[in-house]
Amino acid sequence: MTEKITGAEAMMRSLENEGVDVLFGYPGGSIMPTYDALYNHKKTLNHILVRHEQGAVHAAQGYARVSGKVGCAIVTSGPGATNTITGIADAMADSTPIVVICGQVGVAVLGTDAFQEVDVVGITSPASKWSYQIRRAEDIAWAVSRAFYIAKSGRPGPVVLDFAKNAQTGLVDYQPEHINFIRSYEPTPQLNTEKIKLAAKLINDSVKPFALLGQGVELGNAHMEVRELLEKAQIPFGSTILGLSDLPYDHPLNMGMLGMHGNLGPNVMTNQCDVLLAIGMRFDDRVTGNLKTYAKQAKIIHFDIDPSEFNKNVKIDVDILGDCKDSIPAVSALVEPAKHKSWIEGFKPYAEKEYNKVIDKAIHPQDGPLLMGEVVSKISEATNNEAILVTDVGQNQMFGCRYFKYTKPHSVVTSGGIGTMGFGLPAAIGATFGAPERTVCLFCGDGGLQMTIQELGTIMEQQSPVKIILLNNNFLGNVRQWQAMFFKRHYSFTPMLNPDYELIAKAYGIPSQTVIERKDLDSAIKNMLTTEGPFLLQCAIMEEDNVLPMTPPGANIDEMLLEI
């Protein structure tokens, strides 16, 4: 015999049925019945009260990215729902599996401009995998199970449930559901054996193969499979920002980061290879530069689970549709062992040139103000290169991704696709709940930190052990760099008048320290990492510290500037 319960209680049980253990949220009028039900589920559903709904979604993203689970956020209607849009769009661009539950006014007053009524489904549909309005308590178990299945299957992404108030208060004979099939939705396509053979032949015939690794490797948990293929065929590789921790930084075939602020070698050699393997990446414009000259000499094999990515930006020769956990081993089985020694050696002169002209100066400065690169490098070393990197967006992001090192998978949490300033702080909070056994290092600028600085309140309440490294140059640094390079140094509204961040940290009960001189940096880093719980380390950075190398906008990817 089934039990008759409220829709709000059914929602709680449905979330538990999906294995949810952490919720990031903010209550309000139209979601209040659900929060009342949550009161009796506090032991199984750990609710983290954020200070802004945008923070709830970014925290859910951070949780999902490091845990491999679906992140979950819960908010009220109206402004509560609209405040989640940036995070939902961010999750869609970066293929992050989250479910966002928004309260909604009752069905009886929908369309009447009721208090805090907005068309959540209409607003979120273009920025999500699926957006659905739950109008009846009877539909809750089905909708929740379907939402989590869609969010985590195939190419992951955000799902939105618009939860009408009458559905929350109505009674239902609850029975849990488990959905693992949806008609016309094929999240894991069958492999095409002929294309697998063709890809293997291209690799076997290649003299100068090169691989580009993206976040699809992380999302598919295909780290070992990709490694086996690359090692068997001795294929050097570069990584997108979101794919940086696919394989360890010191793997002998790892040539570094791709793209506008990536490493010189992989960018140059992209336009010299004869076969290019793109694995779980989407040929973003920041990776390709000028499409008219991008890898025109190469046969391109694209591995992806989303067919819409094939030939979207770059014309490819072989499309391998499927989960790379399956497709990579299928190709690897047909690939012959190879060496490619001279081709691999060809990357070294570019690495040496970049090290001498850029890297050595960035991480081993002899005098002058602190530089972002040296701070990032020293903190990475102090964590034995085992920490999780979380960044905000801007120069802190580029320096963080360039100079932090990775030895474990699922170690990079950053906003790649839409570049959301303010992402870092709440995402780092989520990461501490998704991987509580690991050190979480957040690098942020003075601009991005202030966009979601209220989440320091969440850190205070939860004692979330985020190690916040504020790279403070009193500028919107990335925009300032572009103004210096392309707008005649017209620093139009990029200088920042900043507050006393140590006083702010003190108000939230967060230990802090400011480093101005280089001689104090090592001891400050040790103090931060040995302090239990959260910590704010503010570093006074040279105001005109620039991220190099750089491919200017519209330039060929191999036309990188090593100095300005």
Side-chain angles (χ1 to χ4, degrees):
M1 183 176 179
T2 57
E3 179 186 4
K4 196 173 283 291
I5 58 175
T6 67
E9 176 66 20
M11 174 61 74
M12 296 300 101
R13 297 190 189 184
S14 296
L15 292 176
E16 291 171 343
N17 190 51
E18 292 298 327
V20 175
D21 53 4
V22 180
L23 292 167
F24 303 93
Y26 203 95
S30 290
I31 198 69
M32 208 173 294
T34 298
Y35 267 84
D36 188 58
L38 179 59
Y39 187 84
N40 295 319
H41 289 260
K42 289 187 287 187
K43 290 184 179 180
T44 53
L45 294 171
N46 183 19
H47 179 272
I48 309 304
L49 178 65
V50 296
R51 298 313 191 254
H52 190 280
E53 292 88 356
Q54 181 178 344
V57 183
H58 291 327
Q61 288 178 269
Y63 173 90
R65 294 269 280 272
V66 301
S67 69
K69 300 178 182 179
V70 178
C72 195
I74 182 167
V75 301
T76 193
S77 64
T82 58
N83 282 343
T84 67
I85 303 302
T86 296
I88 293 168
D90 193 287
M92 189 67 176
D94 287 349
S95 304
T96 305
I98 60 171
V99 171
V100 180
I101 301 164
C102 303
Q104 182 57 280
V105 300
V107 168
V109 294
L110 280 172
T112 67
D113 292 330
F115 179 66
Q116 291 191 335
E117 177 195 358
V118 296
D119 182 2
V120 173
V121 172
I123 292 172
T124 60
S125 289
S128 61
K129 281 189 75 176
W130 185 51
S131 186
Y132 178 77
Q133 187 174 78
I134 303 175
R135 293 184 168 211
R136 306 184 311 154
E138 294 83 11
D139 298 331
I140 291 168
W142 169 86
V144 172
S145 184
R146 183 182 173 101
F148 277 80
Y149 175 61
I150 291 173
K152 65 188 176 185
S153 60
R155 180 177 182 170
V159 170
V160 179
L161 293 177
D162 189 33
F163 197 12
K165 198 167 187 178
N166 63 282
Q168 299 174 52
T169 57
L171 297 178
V172 60
D173 292 322
Y174 175 73
Q175 285 186 314
E177 290 209 30
H178 179 67
I179 291 176
N180 57 15
F181 172 78
I182 298 173
R183 190 177 63 182
S184 77
Y185 175 56
E186 190 178 7
T188 308
Q190 286 191 335
L191 298 178
N192 184 318
T193 55
E194 291 305 312
K195 291 184 177 181
I196 294 291
K197 293 176 184 177
L198 183 54
K201 185 178 188 306
L202 286 176
I203 295 170
N204 288 334
D205 292 344
S206 68
V207 178
K208 298 184 290 184
F210 186 47
L212 315 178
L213 307 187
Q215 192 188 199
V217 177
E218 294 263 47
L219 295 171
N221 288 307
H223 310 87
M224 290 306 301
E225 290 80 1
V226 169
R227 182 172 188 156
E228 288 171 5
L229 170 62
L230 299 182
E231 290 178 349
K232 182 179 183 180
Q234 283 296 285
I235 302 172
F237 67 91
S239 303
T240 67
I241 284 176
L242 296 181
L244 281 171
S245 62
D246 288 347
L247 294 177
Y249 80 96
D250 56 355
H251 190 285
L253 294 172
N254 191 345
M255 301 302 157
M257 189 169 89
L258 302 162
M260 176 179 281
H261 289 296
N263 295 111
L264 180 63
N267 283 334
V268 170
M269 297 304 244
T270 294
N271 280 359
Q272 294 184 20
C273 65
D274 58 2
V275 171
L276 190 67
L277 290 75
I279 305 175
M281 54 88 70
R282 59 189 180 85
F283 290 112
D284 177 80
D285 59 288
R286 290 295 174 95
V287 166
T288 65
N290 182 7
L291 284 171
K292 293 180 179 179
T293 61
Y294 182 78
K296 293 300 180 184
Q297 80 295 336
K299 295 290 186 181
I300 300 177
I301 307 166
H302 193 175
F303 297 80
D304 210 287
I305 202 166
D306 183 355
S308 71
E309 292 298 339
F310 297 141
N311 296 303
K312 184 176 79 174
N313 296 323
V314 174
K315 189 178 187 318
I316 62 176
D317 296 278
V318 182
D319 57 290
I320 306 294
L321 180 63
D323 190 329
C324 59
K325 186 84 171 174
D326 303 320
S327 60
I328 293 296
V331 172
S332 187
L334 303 178
V335 165
E336 300 164 0
K339 293 295 184 184
H340 305 304
K341 184 177 180 181
S342 61
W343 165 242
I344 295 170
E345 289 290 320
F347 285 81
K348 287 185 178 179
Y350 296 107
E352 290 170 359
K353 183 178 181 180
E354 182 183 352
Y355 184 85
N356 293 331
K357 284 187 169 292
V358 178
I359 297 174
D360 188 39
K361 298 174 183 177
I363 65 176
H364 299 128
Q366 300 303 309
D367 51 30
L370 287 171
L371 301 181
M372 293 191 191
E374 68 174 313
V375 174
V376 173
S377 180
K378 280 182 175 292
I379 291 173
S380 183
E381 290 175 6
T383 62
N384 200 30
N385 303 318
E386 294 181 344
I388 292 171
L389 169 76
V390 184
T391 81
D392 206 81
V393 168
Q395 287 184 317
N396 62 86
Q397 179 184 38
M398 294 298 103
F399 276 111
C401 290
R402 278 184 58 84
Y403 296 116
F404 211 76
K405 295 181 173 64
Y406 316 93
T407 55
K408 297 180 178 181
H410 304 293
S411 292
V412 180
V413 181
T414 191
S415 173
I418 69 171
T420 303
M421 286 182 70
F423 171 89
L425 190 59
I429 295 170
T432 65
F433 286 95
E437 75 285 357
R438 299 183 65 186
T439 299
V440 175
C441 293
L442 164 66
F443 292 89
C444 55
D446 40 309
L449 177 62
Q450 292 189 77
M451 287 197 170
T452 50
I453 198 169
Q454 71 277 353
E455 298 308 330
L456 291 175
T458 307
I459 291 177
M460 173 184 67
E461 182 172 346
Q462 300 295 330
Q463 282 300 291
S464 180
V466 180
K467 307 304 182 184
I468 306 166
I469 302 96
L470 172 58
L471 303 172
N472 190 348
N473 58 7
N474 296 301
F475 264 101
L476 296 176
N478 212 41
V479 183
R480 181 212 53 76
Q481 180 171 334
W482 282 51
Q483 288 172 336
M485 295 177 68
F486 310 119
F487 294 91
K488 302 178 181 178
R489 295 187 179 273
H490 294 166
Y491 294 154
S492 179
F493 300 100
T494 47
M496 297 280 290
L497 179 61
N498 282 312
D500 187 327
Y501 289 106
E502 281 203 81
L503 279 178
I504 292 174
K506 183 178 180 181
Y508 285 103
I510 298 172
S512 65
Q513 186 174 347
T514 296
V515 176
I516 298 174
E517 297 185 20
R518 184 165 289 110
K519 64 181 178 61
D520 300 322
L521 181 58
D522 288 340
S523 63
I525 292 172
K526 182 177 180 180
N527 184 29
M528 173 182 72
L529 294 176
T530 56
T531 298
E532 188 175 347
F535 195 96
L536 172 65
L537 176 61
Q538 177 177 214
C539 298
I541 300 297
M542 184 174 77
E543 288 189 347
E544 299 209 356
D545 193 5
N546 294 314
V547 188
L548 292 168
M550 178 179 182
T551 300
N556 302 334
I557 195 58
D558 54 0
E559 294 177 340
M560 300 198 81
L561 301 176
L562 298 180
E563 55 189 8
I564 298 176

